Amino acid sequence: QVQPVESGGGLVQAGDSMRLSCKASGCLFSTYAMGWFRQAPGKEREFVAVIVWLQRNTDYADSVKGRFTISRDNDKDTVYLQMNSLKAEDTGVYYCTARPRDIRYREWQYNYWGQGTQVTVSS
C-alpha cells in the first residue's frame, strides 16, 4: 500500500514562491509515476504536474508551465513541486498522487492519494 503525505502549503501573496513536498512510502519508487493535482473551491480536481520516477520524464498543465517545477529525491523517497510566480488562481488544495509506471493525466488513472495541503495565494 502506497501512502503519499504532503507538506508545505500555506498562505502567500501573488508573485511569491512556495515548495510543496510529498513523501511516499510503501512502494518501489523507481517503478512509480508521482503526480500533483489541485482542487479549487467549487471546481473539479485538475492535473498539475507529473514525474516518472526512473526516467525523470516530466509534464505539466499548460496553466503552470514555466512557473512550476516537479522534481524528486530518490534517497528521500520524496517528490517536490516548486511553485514560482504564484497567482490567485493557483489557490486550492494540492494533492500528491502515485500510479505504477507511466505518465497519465486523469484523476481516475491514479491509485494512491495523499490527504492534500492547502495553498492560498492572495492578490
Side-chain angles (χ1 to χ4, degrees), residues 69-95:
T69 302
I70 189 170
S71 62
R72 84 280 192 272
D73 186 327
N74 290 344
D75 294 336
K76 297 182 178 180
D77 294 345
T78 299
V79 62
Y80 303 99
L81 185 67
Q82 177 66 43
M83 305 184 292
N84 299 328
S85 302
L86 282 162
K87 306 175 181 179
E89 49 263 44
D90 294 319
T91 294
V93 178
Y94 282 68
Y95 296 91

Side-chain angles (χ1 to χ4, degrees), residues 5-27:
V5 178
E6 306 95 337
S7 61
L11 172 65
V12 295
Q13 293 186 339
D16 286 351
S17 298
M18 177 185 289
R19 188 177 78 163
L20 304 181
S21 301
C22 172
K23 184 173 176 61
S25 60
C27 69

Side-chain angles (χ1 to χ4, degrees), residues 1-4 31-33 35 37 96-102 104 106-114:
Q1 182 74 15
V2 181
Q3 183 57 58
T31 65
Y32 273 73
F37 281 68
C96 179
T97 184
R99 59 163 279 111
R101 295 185 296 277
D102 48 2
R104 291 291 186 271
R106 304 293 187 179
E107 180 180 357
W108 60 268
Q109 293 172 313
Y110 284 80
N111 306 85
Y112 308 100
W113 293 83

Side-chain angles (χ1 to χ4, degrees), residues 38-58:
R38 67 186 181 188
Q39 187 167 20
K43 295 187 177 181
E44 295 184 352
R45 197 176 300 187
E46 64 176 2
F47 167 79
V48 175
V50 62
I51 184 167
V52 177
W53 203 258
L54 183 62
Q55 292 83 3
R56 304 192 185 192
N57 289 341
T58 61

